[in-house]
Amino acid sequence: MDNNGLLQQLFRSEYNKIVSVLCHRFGIKHIENAEDIVSETFLAASEHWELRGIPENPAAWLFTVAKNKTRNLLKRHSLFEQKLTPEFKAGQPLYEDMVEIDLSEKNISDSQLAMIFVVCDPVNSVDVQVALALNLLCGFDIQEIADAFLSGREVIYKRIQRGKLKLKEAGIKVEPPGKQQIADRKKAVLTTLYLLFSEGYYSASQHVTLRKDFCQEAMRLAYLLVSHERTNGPEVNALLSLMCFHASRFEARTNEQGELILYQDQDESLWDMALVEKGAYFLGQAASGEQLSKYHLEAGIAYWHTQKQDTREKWENILQLYNQLLILEYSPVAALNRTFALGKARGNEEAIAEAEKLGLTDNHFYHTLLGHLYTGMDNDLAIAHFKKALGIARSNNDRQLILKNIKAVTSR
């Protein structure tokens, strides 16, 4: 791997670690200083490695340079002496006490856990929490986030800056979450990770349907939660199980051109069975206690989708899980997916009747579903629905898939 490729990989994996540790050490009000230190560290790596080659342990090199730059900044700027000294033990020498930055594996893990709960503080709205998570916890730059959410760079930049300002104004502490903090913010944390994974699983971007990097970051953060005793619980395990089951089919979901491959057309040999096993393990862990969340039900649905054999038992189980999910937390997407399962379990006529009750006429998935359900029963009506879907769909991948459906029905 060349310098640029390695630096991009390290930026994604190490940026959030160092920022989290520095914020944990000095507080969220100094987040810009932390980000500057890390950015300067990677700039130094780019220049130094180009001249002298890649060091034997690149991550350790970055940690050392970040520590040195922190030390230099502390000594250089009176801001730290004026504002940070009172926050530490009285009478302790400033530099002896403050310069040591703990970048041990345990402190990195604790700092990242603390930052998850800071980023997901309800002082910010959910869309701001997701943007902050992508930027601060996952290392995605402003343009990447803007592209993912079909938004302008300036809009995302302002959203993130406003989010940081609110955290600072609220005086949110960067510290391992206590029992009450976990109880208060758990829902927001899980929602943020769920939305982050969902954006990767079905990206809103015009250019790509699957963002594996978003999904991998969501899974990394979810695994961080199950790895800590205080945050390891049934809901977290259920969410991680759901992610594992979906991620197991990533390699089969798109072709070489990046086009989406429908579930029934996927090559089962490309499914990652090791991830299926992990999903089953975390689903088993999620079964402790009496709590039943939407993540449990969605993980159950995702499990049945890892069983490729098209049996009535499979689709009946999926249908019943969707029934429970809609009672627990209704959503139009879940209602559409339930209708597809109903068609597989009990026939297209019953599914069509249920689908048309939904009346989601401005949703291209609604018309695509009806197009599939009518195929073979009334092909003219099927094509009409596919054409309506084509007129509504926003992404190139969706439009290409709909055109394939029209071609398939036309050639019958």
Side-chain angles (χ1 to χ4, degrees):
M1 185 181 296
D2 62 14
N3 276 354
N4 288 337
L6 178 61
L7 280 168
Q8 288 177 3
Q9 185 182 83
L10 287 168
F11 191 85
R12 186 77 82 235
S13 64
E14 308 304 323
Y15 172 89
N16 61 83
K17 294 179 182 178
I18 305 174
V19 168
S20 295
V21 167
L22 293 178
C23 287
H24 189 190
R25 188 73 175 88
F26 300 119
I28 197 68
K29 62 185 177 181
H30 294 292
I31 188 169
E32 281 83 6
N33 294 105
E35 291 179 300
D36 287 344
I37 287 169
V38 182
S39 296
E40 290 175 12
T41 297
F42 275 89
L43 179 61
S46 177
E47 295 170 349
H48 188 89
W49 297 357
E50 187 68 34
L51 293 173
R52 302 189 182 183
I54 298 171
E56 185 175 341
N57 189 332
W61 189 97
L62 292 170
F63 289 175
T64 300
V65 172
K67 284 184 180 182
N68 291 336
K69 287 188 176 293
T70 304
R71 182 181 294 110
N72 291 339
L73 186 64
L74 285 167
K75 290 178 179 179
R76 189 168 67 244
H77 292 285
S78 60
L79 169 70
F80 280 82
E81 188 169 357
Q82 293 167 0
K83 293 189 176 181
L84 286 182
T85 304
E87 298 174 13
F88 292 83
K89 294 179 182 178
Q92 289 291 324
L94 174 66
Y95 301 121
E96 287 182 16
D97 188 40
M98 293 180 59
V99 167
E100 185 56 38
I101 307 299
D102 183 1
L103 283 164
S104 66
E105 186 175 338
K106 182 182 184 305
N107 193 54
I108 287 173
S109 179
D110 289 344
S111 299
Q112 287 183 296
L113 180 67
M115 279 295 284
I116 291 176
F117 280 81
V118 168
V119 163
C120 297
D121 191 282
V123 70
N124 282 311
S125 62
V126 172
D127 61 337
V128 174
Q129 291 173 19
V130 173
L132 285 172
L134 285 167
N135 185 236
L136 298 178
L137 301 179
C138 308
F140 291 99
D141 64 34
I142 303 297
Q143 191 60 58
E144 284 181 295
I145 301 170
D147 289 344
F149 291 100
L150 300 180
S151 187
R153 189 182 190 282
E154 189 65 22
V155 172
I156 296 298
Y157 174 78
K158 288 180 179 179
R159 183 179 300 173
I160 289 173
Q161 293 306 113
R162 283 197 302 269
K164 291 177 185 176
L165 182 60
K166 281 192 174 183
L167 292 175
K168 288 191 282 188
E169 288 176 343
I172 306 300
K173 293 182 179 179
V174 185
E175 58 188 7
K179 186 178 294 186
Q180 190 58 50
Q181 191 180 25
I182 291 170
D184 291 343
R185 298 188 197 170
K186 182 178 70 172
K187 182 178 180 180
V189 169
L190 296 184
T191 297
T192 298
L193 299 191
Y194 178 82
L195 292 174
L196 175 53
F197 186 90
S198 297
E199 171 55 31
Y201 187 74
Y202 186 82
S203 177
S205 169
Q206 294 278 1
H207 308 295
V208 61
T209 298
L210 176 62
R211 287 289 306 257
K212 293 180 185 177
D213 47 357
F214 278 30
C215 294
Q216 287 164 353
E217 285 301 306
M219 293 176 74
R220 178 182 67 81
L221 295 172
Y223 186 75
L224 188 64
L225 293 177
V226 302
S227 299
H228 282 76
E229 184 178 356
R230 283 170 293 182
T231 52
N232 183 23
E235 273 189 287
V236 181
N237 280 276
L239 177 58
L240 186 51
S241 170
L242 166 65
M243 293 175 177
C244 287
F245 286 139
H246 281 316
S248 71
R249 296 190 288 109
F250 278 175
E251 297 306 316
R253 280 194 73 221
T254 55
N255 61 22
E256 293 179 356
Q257 290 73 43
E259 297 170 335
L260 189 66
I261 299 174
L262 292 177
Y263 174 73
Q264 60 266 26
D265 299 324
Q266 290 177 9
D267 180 355
E268 187 181 354
S269 68
L270 296 176
W271 292 0
D272 187 336
M273 300 313 295
L275 272 176
V276 173
E277 290 178 8
K278 285 184 179 179
Y281 169 78
F282 289 118
L283 188 56
Q285 295 295 105
S288 62
E290 299 179 356
Q291 185 180 33
L292 182 67
S293 68
K294 75 169 189 174
Y295 304 117
H296 286 82
L297 296 169
E298 290 194 30
I301 292 166
Y303 161 76
W304 280 104
H305 278 87
T306 65
Q307 311 302 304
K308 187 64 186 289
Q309 192 172 359
D310 209 14
T311 64
R312 182 174 178 181
E313 177 197 14
K314 167 184 169 177
W315 291 106
E316 189 64 38
N317 274 286
I318 291 174
L319 176 61
Q320 294 307 319
L321 288 166
Y322 271 122
N323 288 341
Q324 293 180 68
L325 180 61
L326 289 170
I327 292 170
L328 185 66
E329 185 173 315
Y330 181 87
S331 78
V333 172
L336 281 173
N337 289 334
R338 174 197 174 271
T339 306
F340 179 83
L342 179 63
K344 299 291 286 186
R346 302 182 186 177
N348 286 6
E349 288 188 12
E350 188 173 343
I352 289 169
E354 287 295 305
E356 291 180 339
K357 289 178 185 177
L358 299 175
L360 301 170
T361 55
D362 59 348
N363 186 305
H364 81 273
F365 291 115
Y366 170 77
H367 291 291
T368 299
L369 173 62
L370 283 171
H372 284 296
L373 293 175
Y374 273 114
T375 297
M377 293 177 57
D378 186 334
N379 289 341
D380 289 339
L381 197 49
I383 291 173
H385 277 291
F386 281 131
K387 286 183 176 179
K388 286 180 182 178
L390 187 63
I392 300 171
R394 291 191 300 169
S395 78
N396 294 330
N397 279 321
D398 283 335
R399 286 191 286 269
Q400 289 298 318
L401 190 58
I402 294 166
L403 285 170
K404 285 184 179 179
N405 288 326
I406 293 172
K407 184 178 179 180
V409 178
T410 304
S411 63
R412 287 171 71 95

